[in-house]
Amino acid sequence: MVATRVPSHDMNEVPVLGSYILDRIGNTPLIVFRRLLPHNSRVRIFAKAEWFNPGGSVKDRAALQIILDAERRGDLTPGKVLIDSSSGNTGIAYAMIGAARGIPIELVMPASVSEERKLIAAAFGAKVIYSDPYEGSDGAIRLVREIVAAQPERYYYADQYSNPSNWLAHYRTTGPEIWRQTMGQVTHIVAGLGTSGTIMGAGRYLQGRNAKVRVIGVQPDDALHGIEGLKHMESAIVPAIYDERRLNAKLLVSTEEAFDMARRIAREEGIFTGQSAGAAFAAALRLADSLDEGTIVVIFPDSGDKYLTTSLWQKQDWSI
Ligand SMILES: Cc1ncc(COP(=O)(O)O)c(C=O)c1O
């Protein structure tokens, strides 16, 4: 007979036999690099490998915290549909957790998100609604607001861009993990800015442990960019949870640089990431060149397999 227990999401509890899928969220590995190294050997760079989460991305953390907090407050009651806009990864995370906990999920995604993301969200049983591809993630935000306004009693609108549970997830898990895994030696955290939940939460935690830790946000250098998951803040609907004053610096990366770096990480390190990890790593290498010494942790939000049908991997004539 298989021994079971009611899953609690309490990281301190160890299941007797087997593990519940949602208990595998968090505690992702920190990866070292062997070949793609900074010029200065006194600067170390580690990648936080977020595709090890069961939904395949960093967004599992935020989605789980958002859902558990909404249930606890009584905002997400049985029968209500959780709805949100997502450029893909949060949608997949909601869909996976919704399937595991029996919560109906509706997602509004720009029609331009990769085919893989649409199919994975649908595979978990979520209803996917597409917004104008030319309006990007902001178009998805506008459409979800219209849908909720038309039927407010039907929905719990999770609103990852304004929901404090989003950054709290990283304050409670990603930040402490990085502190533990670097034995308190981390000097810089580098992460792409989407909702900004990752950098706001993990950055706040790490600065609470050591005020000298520098918090670096990475964003596309242009409003018309192809780095899925990231926002060009100057031209976008700015997330309510984003507080630029919490960043010590913001680094800009072009789409081309992000793509090239993701390809180099695959070919030179054997690590298959998405383009937002490429963007963050390109920024981290640049940052490393400006330091005498340091321990940089870069967030790698997801893996390359969600972009197989996109120009990230389809293009054959890479010049790297
Ligand atoms: C691929 C990818 N990279 C980076 C991010 C940014 O993370 P955050 O929303 O915590 O800023 C996201 C968010 O959706 C993402 O999907």
Side-chain angles (χ1 to χ4, degrees):
M1 202 177 90
V2 174
T4 56
R5 66 174 174 81
V6 177
S8 68
H9 311 293
D10 182 344
M11 304 249 250
N12 297 320
E13 255 185 64
V14 179
V16 179
L17 264 185
S19 39
Y20 179 49
I21 191 72
L22 302 186
D23 285 336
R24 300 307 302 239
I25 295 175
N27 287 313
T28 54
L30 203 58
I31 307 277
V32 295
F33 289 77
R34 291 295 168 109
R35 297 175 65 200
L36 264 175
L37 300 171
H39 297 115
N40 178 353
S41 61
R42 290 200 306 272
V43 182
R44 299 181 297 175
I45 304 184
F46 297 98
K48 185 84 171 133
E50 288 299 302
W51 69 90
F52 277 85
N53 284 300
S57 88
V58 68
K59 304 304 300 204
D60 283 5
R61 299 176 188 264
L64 181 62
Q65 187 81 43
I66 284 172
I67 287 173
L68 294 180
D69 288 350
E71 287 178 343
R72 252 190 305 267
R73 283 193 309 269
D75 293 343
L76 180 56
T77 46
K80 275 215 170 185
V81 175
L82 182 150
I83 192 166
D84 209 350
S85 65
S86 161
S87 63
N89 278 331
T90 313
I92 289 171
Y94 288 136
M96 175 195 68
I97 299 164
R101 293 179 72 87
I103 303 163
I105 306 289
E106 291 185 19
L107 305 168
V108 182
M109 290 186 191
S112 51
V113 304
S114 72
E115 215 43 46
E116 290 86 340
R117 291 182 183 217
K118 298 173 187 168
L119 292 172
I120 296 168
F124 283 122
K127 178 177 170 193
V128 185
I129 301 155
Y130 297 114
S131 57
D132 188 331
Y134 298 105
E135 293 183 26
S137 58
D138 287 354
I141 294 173
R142 283 189 284 269
L143 181 56
V144 77
R145 286 177 183 167
E146 281 170 30
I147 294 170
V148 173
Q151 273 185 297
E153 66 298 329
R154 176 177 157 79
Y155 292 112
Y156 166 65
Y157 175 27
D159 195 0
Q160 57 164 333
Y161 293 95
S162 310
N163 195 324
S165 304
N166 178 350
W167 68 261
L168 260 176
H170 300 284
Y171 185 86
R172 290 189 180 153
T173 68
T174 320
E177 287 170 31
I178 292 171
W179 185 256
R180 269 199 314 273
Q181 287 170 313
T182 61
M183 293 177 286
Q185 291 169 26
V186 57
T187 58
H188 296 75
I189 172 167
V190 177
L193 298 170
T195 65
S196 80
T198 308
I199 197 78
M200 289 293 119
R204 201 177 300 194
Y205 176 85
L206 292 171
Q207 284 191 329
R209 296 304 300 252
N210 175 1
K212 290 191 180 141
V213 172
R214 301 291 85 179
V215 177
I216 318 289
V218 178
Q219 68 162 55
D221 67 351
D222 188 48
L224 290 174
H225 67 91
I227 312 177
E228 255 187 58
L230 302 195
K231 260 182 185 285
H232 181 258
M233 289 295 180
E234 290 72 18
S235 60
I237 299 177
V238 177
I241 60 169
Y242 178 56
D243 182 354
E244 192 164 300
R245 292 167 305 181
R246 291 198 172 272
L247 298 183
N248 297 110
K250 202 159 67 166
L251 298 177
L252 306 183
V253 175
S254 70
T255 299
E256 202 178 29
E257 202 182 353
F259 277 44
D260 283 351
M261 190 52 77
R263 292 167 186 153
R264 286 193 63 189
I265 294 168
R267 292 184 164 200
E268 295 178 39
E269 290 286 347
I271 300 171
F272 194 41
T273 71
Q275 56 266 52
S276 73
F281 194 72
L285 278 179
R286 231 190 286 152
L287 169 70
D289 281 342
S290 70
L291 303 176
D292 288 333
E293 57 183 355
T295 299
I296 303 172
V297 173
V298 190
I299 306 293
F300 277 16
D302 66 0
S303 83
D305 51 14
K306 291 209 187 87
Y307 308 96
L308 279 171
T309 62
T310 74
S311 59
L312 178 59
W313 304 117
Q314 292 280 320
K315 202 172 138 212
Q316 296 299 315
D317 59 338
W318 306 339
S319 47
I320 56 172

